[in-house]
Amino acid sequence: MFDFLIDGFGVALTPLNLGLAFLGAVLGTLFGALPGIGPINGIAILMPLAYTLGLPAESALILLAGVYTGAEYGGRMSSILLNVPGDAGAVMTTLDGHPLAKKGLAGPALGLSAVSSFVGATIAIIGLTLFAPLLAEVAVMFGPAEFFALMIFAFASMSVMMGKDPIKTAIGAVLGVMIAMVGVDSGTGVLRYTFGMAELYDGIDFVVMIIGLFAISEILLMLEHANRNDANDEIPPLGRVMVSLKEVLYCKWTMLRCGLIGFIVGVLPGTGASVAGAVAYTTEKRISDKDGTFGTGDMRGLAAPEAANNASAAGSFVPMLTLGIPGSGTTAVLLGALMLYNITPGPMMFSERPEVAGGLIASLYIGNVVLLALNLPLAGLFAKVLTIPRWVLVPGIAILAFTGVYQLHSDLMAIYLMLIIGVFGYLLRKLGFSLAPVILGYVLGGLMEDNLRRALSISGGDVGILWQSGISLGLWIAAALLLVLPWLLPKLLFRKSLDGA
């Protein structure tokens, strides 16, 4: 295990990869600080550029992973200073972060959030280092039936834990699966959802899908709210940014507890930082909020979601690297980046492409230290990004989106398709749908179909193979419990309260 990590540092410490880790951390913090941009849009915009520049797979992944972790750091800025979450994972940060800024503690709040993010991410990266190689060894025993059951578990986990409305989450995932079905059926040669258009025979390209669904829909939302001045609100004075040792020690148990919670939630397929932040905040409130100060500017209420968000981001790499299952919407995009390089994520990647897996894990250690060093002294400089007007921001994002897709395909049809998907994503967001289940359904749909075909081919069409082994049966049972328990527990608790009365 330690030899694997040492080899990884040998990859991550090359001058090119060090520079890319630093660049990813800076760009990620900037993307995260801008409300509505977040890690998914940042990665979606940079992914085709990294590929067309000819970066090796490990270097591209180090850059994009740096953007991911950096955006989790940067998302706190607008949450604390403007009460506007930088992304979905920073929603819980507003509850105590902005009240602290109103009390004149904006600087210490930013400093504490950086330290909490560092602690949470460190816990999760250590967990990733210890458990990913071990889980990869177990995952080698997975056959097509086990992987199909794992996909079902991922969909069940996503439906229950992602978003406020499980029905809309499930519908979004089904839409994603339907989009993944577009093109020629590899098994039978039948055309599916192509509407007679030859350009759709190869399916919808991942980069076109990602940039259209996230970047273009975000541009349309920005244009809709062009008259708003959310990004131009007056930033409160920061004062001192360096958090005191006393303030850090006051929150030490909160950071450790919530870092562990964030890692556990992040490992579950299809959850993400928003779920981790909510679970950590509510758990910490029950444990520590004896005086009812949470929600009024309590340092622990700020440290809890920040530690959990960043721990979840690192934890979501565990299922991606070991099982080929994205742990969050952002790792689904990173999964697509691996596919661009014809790398199949999963247990064999640790033996077949150790420079990619090891270099990525080692770069997370380096990037975490870089982010703390950047975000403590330079928080005031990064906060200036919040003053960028929309008339500069929208064209800039549009240029990067169009350039990235055209560089990759050199085809106007790809541009038109990107715009159509962007309008579709915009309509979904207006109807209250989260886009993360759509992209997870898109990524998992193709994998699920392939493994179902292989399993049925092995068994000669006998569906019993899908739950024949102990592993697949356990995953089916876990998926069923995930779907049933959220509906059953409230009724049982209500009946128990009636019996007690």
Side-chain angles (χ1 to χ4, degrees):
M1 187 182 298
F2 291 104
D3 289 343
F4 167 79
L5 188 60
I6 290 169
D7 292 340
F9 274 106
V11 173
L13 289 173
T14 61
L16 172 63
N17 291 337
L18 269 178
L20 290 173
F22 179 82
L23 179 63
V26 174
L27 291 177
T29 304
L30 295 175
F31 284 134
L34 292 168
I37 305 301
I40 293 184
N41 281 316
I43 292 173
I45 291 168
L46 290 178
M47 182 170 60
L49 298 178
Y51 182 76
T52 52
L53 286 174
L55 291 178
E58 62 273 16
S59 300
L61 204 60
I62 286 171
L63 170 66
L64 299 178
V67 172
Y68 182 17
T69 53
E72 295 299 334
Y73 270 76
R76 76 197 198 283
M77 291 186 182
S78 59
S79 300
I80 293 171
L81 299 177
L82 301 178
N83 202 30
V84 179
D87 55 48
V91 170
M92 304 306 292
T93 304
T94 61
L95 299 181
D96 283 278
H98 193 60
L100 283 168
K102 285 184 174 180
K103 292 179 181 179
L105 297 173
L110 287 173
L112 179 64
S113 67
V115 174
S116 303
S117 298
F118 176 79
V119 172
T122 301
I123 291 171
I125 296 167
I126 292 172
L128 172 63
T129 306
L130 295 175
F131 293 113
L134 297 176
L135 186 57
E137 290 182 11
V138 175
V140 171
M141 297 185 294
F142 278 41
E146 286 77 17
F147 272 111
F148 178 76
L150 184 64
M151 307 293 172
I152 297 296
F153 173 77
F155 276 115
S157 173
M158 176 173 54
S159 297
V160 173
M161 301 192 71
M162 183 179 285
K164 297 179 181 178
D165 190 338
I167 302 299
K168 285 186 175 180
T169 302
I171 292 172
V174 170
L175 289 172
V177 173
M178 290 176 67
I179 295 171
M181 298 296 105
V182 173
V184 179
D185 186 332
S186 58
T188 63
V190 173
L191 298 176
R192 302 185 297 192
Y193 305 125
T194 57
F195 305 104
M197 300 173 63
E199 292 85 357
L200 293 178
Y201 286 3
D202 291 330
I204 295 176
D205 182 75
F206 184 82
V207 173
V208 173
M209 175 73 176
I210 287 293
I211 293 183
L213 197 63
F214 289 97
I216 300 300
S217 67
E218 187 62 40
I219 289 171
L220 294 174
L221 282 175
M222 286 182 173
L223 291 174
E224 180 186 357
H225 301 143
N227 294 326
R228 287 189 183 179
N229 291 319
D230 293 348
N232 297 322
D233 288 349
E234 185 178 349
I235 297 175
L238 299 185
R240 65 178 177 90
V241 177
M242 299 300 289
V243 65
S244 68
L245 181 61
K246 181 180 178 182
E247 290 165 334
V248 173
L249 292 177
Y250 178 64
C251 302
K252 62 181 183 297
W253 296 117
T254 296
M255 290 187 279
L256 293 173
R257 270 193 299 266
C258 294
L260 185 59
I261 290 171
F263 174 69
I264 294 170
V265 173
V267 170
L268 294 174
T271 51
S274 56
V275 176
V279 172
Y281 185 87
T282 53
T283 303
E284 191 60 29
K285 187 175 182 180
R286 289 172 186 163
I287 294 172
S288 303
D289 191 19
K290 308 298 183 186
D291 303 320
T293 55
F294 273 50
T296 62
D298 192 307
M299 288 282 190
R300 295 167 298 179
L302 171 63
E306 284 301 298
N309 291 348
N310 287 267
S312 171
S316 63
F317 283 102
V318 175
M320 186 194 86
L321 292 176
T322 58
L323 301 171
I325 303 294
S328 65
T330 310
T331 48
V333 182
L334 289 172
L335 202 68
L338 287 172
M339 292 175 180
L340 271 180
Y341 284 91
N342 294 318
I343 297 173
T344 303
M348 300 308 296
M349 191 171 74
F350 282 81
S351 56
E352 293 175 356
R353 298 299 300 269
E355 76 282 3
V356 175
L360 171 63
I361 294 173
S363 75
L364 292 176
Y365 284 98
I366 297 167
N368 200 31
V369 174
V370 169
L371 283 165
L372 182 67
L374 285 173
N375 278 267
L376 279 178
L378 300 179
L381 182 62
F382 282 124
K384 296 292 184 184
V385 176
L386 298 173
T387 62
I388 296 177
R390 292 182 188 274
W391 62 267
V392 173
L393 196 58
V394 171
I397 297 172
I399 289 170
L400 289 173
F402 280 78
T403 303
V405 170
Y406 193 77
Q407 274 187 331
L408 205 59
H409 293 279
S410 301
D411 181 14
L412 282 177
M413 182 60 192
I415 299 292
Y416 297 145
L417 196 56
M418 175 189 73
L419 293 173
I420 292 169
I421 294 171
V423 173
F424 175 66
Y426 167 76
L427 293 175
L428 286 179
R429 293 173 75 168
K430 293 295 290 181
L431 292 172
F433 285 83
S434 171
L435 296 183
V438 180
I439 196 61
L440 284 166
Y442 173 80
V443 171
L444 294 177
L447 296 172
M448 186 168 68
E449 183 187 20
D450 290 343
N451 282 290
L452 177 61
R453 285 183 184 277
R454 289 172 190 157
L456 294 178
S457 176
I458 291 170
S459 68
D462 181 10
V463 295
I465 192 175
L466 299 179
W467 47 80
Q468 200 170 53
S469 72
I471 295 174
S472 57
L473 183 60
L475 288 168
W476 279 103
I477 293 171
L481 288 175
L482 272 175
L483 292 173
V484 172
L485 285 179
W487 302 93
L488 192 60
L489 279 178
K491 295 180 180 179
L492 292 175
L493 293 174
F494 178 68
R495 185 176 297 173
K496 186 178 179 181
S497 66
L498 288 178
D499 293 340

